[in-house]
């Protein structure tokens, strides 16, 4: 058993009695009520999911295993010559809740290295698809094609104790995570770089190797590390995380679950939003004739956008009520590496101008920027100008968090998910009864 798996097992054993006690002794304690608005409105704010991997505080932003983004970026061991932590160390943190030592990070990197060989048929599947297929479709198809590799399915079919489900799930998760960056880079080079794919370099860490396979020089290795870490998890109620958890709750294996997670992320209201931000900013640039506008000119442009009935992309959030710390982490990167980039200058002006305008308009509950207001600018700067690919990068990152959640779901024996539906007539009946009770 690997050191990480051993540590995880110790943590799981210590955690299980907590969950068991809550169900057995406090299962009927209420966490809240559900109203008609929530039943129709996408279960917003309904507290009915449990995860210890991350928690989204409306005022603070995401905490991974209790740690804020600045804390995670500061405390995790860093790749030599870079400013950003190893993705491998972040995986260790997500799985165990502990900050790893350098040695522990090296062991995780070694474990990934041993699992990194992508089966040839995955590339064959990708090559058989029309080249203009969306890269998210390709990623999803590649992942589901690998389902035949599932260790969980083999063990399940052979007969396995429920308590041990997490073990082959861990095997599947680590195998898939080890291979996902190469599959993503392969899609990129095959589709957008004249089919000049670059073989993996096993001497490099995950972020370094991804930059190498993308064919992009430093500090893109740090961009990759930052990007994968920032996008890894955002609680479990967002569409991609929830889709992964839901599918896995049927004991479908990691490959089915992560492929479903990718499909959810592909929607324009979720992961795809980051490409919309960039095209909007470029529209602003074109209208301004490329020159850097004054704050007043930009203010006018933002008002014009609002008055034409459109939202300001990259601003607002369903849960957050302050600037997204994922935005701030990327902003700091931009200030260090690309402060003079024209696109970043626009983003910087928007950061000053948009929140007061949205506050003045008085509609958005959160006038501050979210993660998507920065991500595309960095990718564009380093030459990844194919918008369609941005969500693939998001998906690789998100897979780390969703896989950690699924392993823990299995470890704690979370059952198949099955919320109850009602009919519109039942809602009308409930509304009538509530009105009658009031009068
Ligand atoms: C993220 C988002 C979908 C959250 O939606 P939400 O939870 O419904 O947001 P709110 O409760 O604050 O919305 C209240 C009102 O403010 C408006 N609003 C919210 N964000 C806005 C923005 N960035 N620009 C203009 N208006 C906005 C909403 O459209 C809504 O208007 P309505 O009452 O006329 O329907 C929303 O803020 C948005 O559309 N942002 C821009 C797109 C974006 O950045 N998406 C990526 C999200 S990570």
């Amino acid at each position: 058993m690997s050191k990480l798996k051993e540590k995880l097992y110790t943590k799981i054993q210590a955690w299980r009695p907590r969950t068991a006690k809550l169900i057995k002794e406090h299962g009927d304690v209420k966490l809240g009520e559900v109203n008609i608005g929530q039943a129709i409105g996408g279960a917003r704010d309904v507290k009915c999911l449990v995860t210890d991997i991350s928690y989204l505080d409306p005022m603070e932003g995401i905490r991974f295993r209790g740690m804020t983004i600045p804390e995670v970026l500061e405390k995790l061991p860093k790749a030599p010559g870079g400013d950003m932590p190893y993705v491998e160390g972040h995986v260790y943190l997500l799985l165990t809740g502990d900050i790893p030592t350098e040695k522990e990070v090296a062991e995780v990197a070694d474990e990934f290295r041993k699992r990194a060989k992508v089966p040839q048929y995955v590339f064959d599947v990708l090559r058989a698809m029309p080249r203009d297929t969306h890269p998210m479709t390709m990623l999803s198809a590649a992942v589901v094609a690998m389902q035949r590799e599932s260790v969980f399915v083999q063990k399940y079919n052979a007969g396995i104790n429920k308590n041990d489900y997490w073990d082959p799930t861990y095997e599947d998760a680590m195998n898939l995570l080890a291979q996902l960056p190469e599959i993503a880079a392969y899609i990129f080079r095959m589709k957008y770089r004249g089919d000049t794919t670059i073989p993996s370099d096993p001497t490099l860490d995950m972020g370094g190797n991804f930059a190498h396979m993308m064919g992009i020089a430093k500090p893109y290795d740090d961009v990759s590390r930052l990007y994968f870490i920032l996008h890894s998890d955002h609680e479990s109620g967002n569409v991609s995380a929830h889709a992964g958890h839901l599918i896995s709750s049927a004991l479908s294996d990691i490959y089915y679950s992560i492929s479903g997670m990718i499909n959810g992320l592909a929607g324009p209201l979720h992961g795809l939003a980051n490409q919309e931000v960039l095209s909007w900013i470029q529209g602003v640039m074109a209208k301004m004739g490329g020159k850097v506008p004054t704050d007043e000119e930009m203010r006018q442009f933002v008002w014009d956008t609002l008055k034409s009935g459109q939202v300001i992309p990259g601003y607002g959030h369903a849960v957050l009520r302050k600037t997204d710390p994922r935005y701030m982490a990327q902003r700091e990167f931009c200030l260090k590496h690309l402060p003079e980039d024209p696109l970043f200058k626009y983003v910087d002006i928007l950061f000053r101008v948009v929140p007061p305008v949205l506050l003045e308009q008085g509609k958005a509950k959160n006038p501050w920027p979210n993660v998507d207001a920065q991500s595309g600018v960095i990718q564009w700067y380093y030459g990844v100008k194919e918008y369609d690919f941005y969500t693939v990068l998001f998906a690789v990152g998100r897979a780390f968090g969703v896989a950690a959640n699924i392993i823990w779901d299995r470890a704690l024996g979370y059952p198949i998910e099955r919320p109850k539906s009602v009919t519109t007539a039942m809602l009308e009946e409930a509304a009538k009864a509530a009105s009658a009770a009031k009068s």
Side-chain angles (χ1 to χ4, degrees), residues 44 273 306 310-318 321 358 361 363-366 370 372:
R44 194 70 66 89
L306 289 175
Q310 297 171 62
V311 295
I312 307 300
Y315 283 75
H317 197 273
R321 292 296 173 257
L358 286 178
Q361 192 208 27
K363 270 168 74 173
K365 293 194 189 74
N366 175 29
N370 61 58
D372 293 327

Side-chain angles (χ1 to χ4, degrees), residues 218-371:
K218 278 177 186 299
Y220 194 74
D221 50 353
D222 257 355
V223 172
S224 308
R225 294 178 192 115
L226 177 66
Y227 210 88
F228 293 157
I229 291 172
L230 292 184
H231 289 86
S232 61
D233 210 33
H234 221 223
E235 284 192 352
S236 56
N238 63 79
V239 170
S240 53
H242 192 196
H245 165 82
L246 174 67
I247 296 167
S248 158
S249 84
L251 291 187
S252 297
D253 59 59
I254 279 277
Y255 298 93
Y256 283 128
S257 306
I258 297 291
S259 177
M261 172 214 99
I262 292 166
N263 298 344
L265 197 63
L269 293 185
H270 192 14
L272 215 68
N274 59 13
Q275 72 183 57
E276 286 179 13
V277 174
L278 198 56
S279 60
W280 181 73
I281 295 174
Q282 285 182 329
V284 183
M285 264 181 119
K287 283 211 171 111
M288 301 274 178
K291 86 170 177 74
V292 177
T294 63
D295 284 18
E296 191 42 44
E297 283 170 328
M298 188 64 104
R299 217 177 94 82
Q300 198 47 53
F301 190 83
V302 170
W303 268 118
D304 289 348
T305 303
L306 289 175
K307 282 181 187 150
S308 69
Q310 297 171 62
V311 295
I312 307 300
Y315 283 75
H317 197 273
V319 180
L320 270 171
R321 292 296 173 257
K322 70 159 228 180
T323 297
D324 191 335
R326 300 173 299 173
Y327 174 96
M328 288 312 281
Q330 295 189 90
R331 178 177 161 79
E332 276 165 33
F333 186 94
C334 290
L335 286 169
K336 177 165 178 195
H337 293 280
L338 45 134
E340 297 307 321
D341 176 61
L343 265 181
F344 175 63
K345 286 215 150 91
Y346 271 70
V347 169
D348 192 35
I349 299 171
L350 287 167
F351 186 47
R352 283 198 301 276
V353 166
V354 173
V357 171
L358 286 178
L359 279 172
E360 196 180 327
Q361 192 208 27
K363 270 168 74 173
K365 293 194 189 74
N366 175 29
W368 308 107
N370 61 58
V371 65

Side-chain angles (χ1 to χ4, degrees), residues 147 149-156 168-169 171-172 175 255:
Q147 189 277 330
E149 308 293 330
S150 174
V151 181
F152 176 80
V153 170
Q154 287 164 29
K155 298 277 181 194
Y156 185 84
T169 301
E171 295 300 322
D172 282 352
N175 288 339
Y255 298 93

Side-chain angles (χ1 to χ4, degrees), residues 5-75:
K5 198 168 167 186
E6 244 173 62
K7 172 100 178 230
L8 183 57
Y9 186 44
T10 316
K11 295 272 175 182
I12 288 170
Q13 280 178 309
W15 208 281
R16 279 176 168 162
R18 296 174 65 186
T19 305
K21 184 172 182 208
L22 283 168
I23 298 173
K24 194 161 171 237
E25 295 174 23
H26 309 287
D28 56 357
V29 172
K30 287 201 170 58
L31 289 177
E33 288 177 359
V34 182
N35 60 35
I36 290 179
Q38 290 169 315
I40 297 176
R44 194 70 66 89
D45 293 333
V46 177
K47 291 182 188 140
C48 63
L49 292 168
V50 189
T51 174
D52 299 292
I53 310 293
S54 69
Y55 178 73
L56 180 56
D57 183 278
M59 297 315 294
E60 249 183 5
I62 192 72
R63 277 181 182 265
F64 296 120
R65 289 291 189 172
M67 273 172 251
T68 62
I69 283 177
E71 281 166 355
V72 167
L73 296 181
E74 192 213 312
K75 289 187 178 160

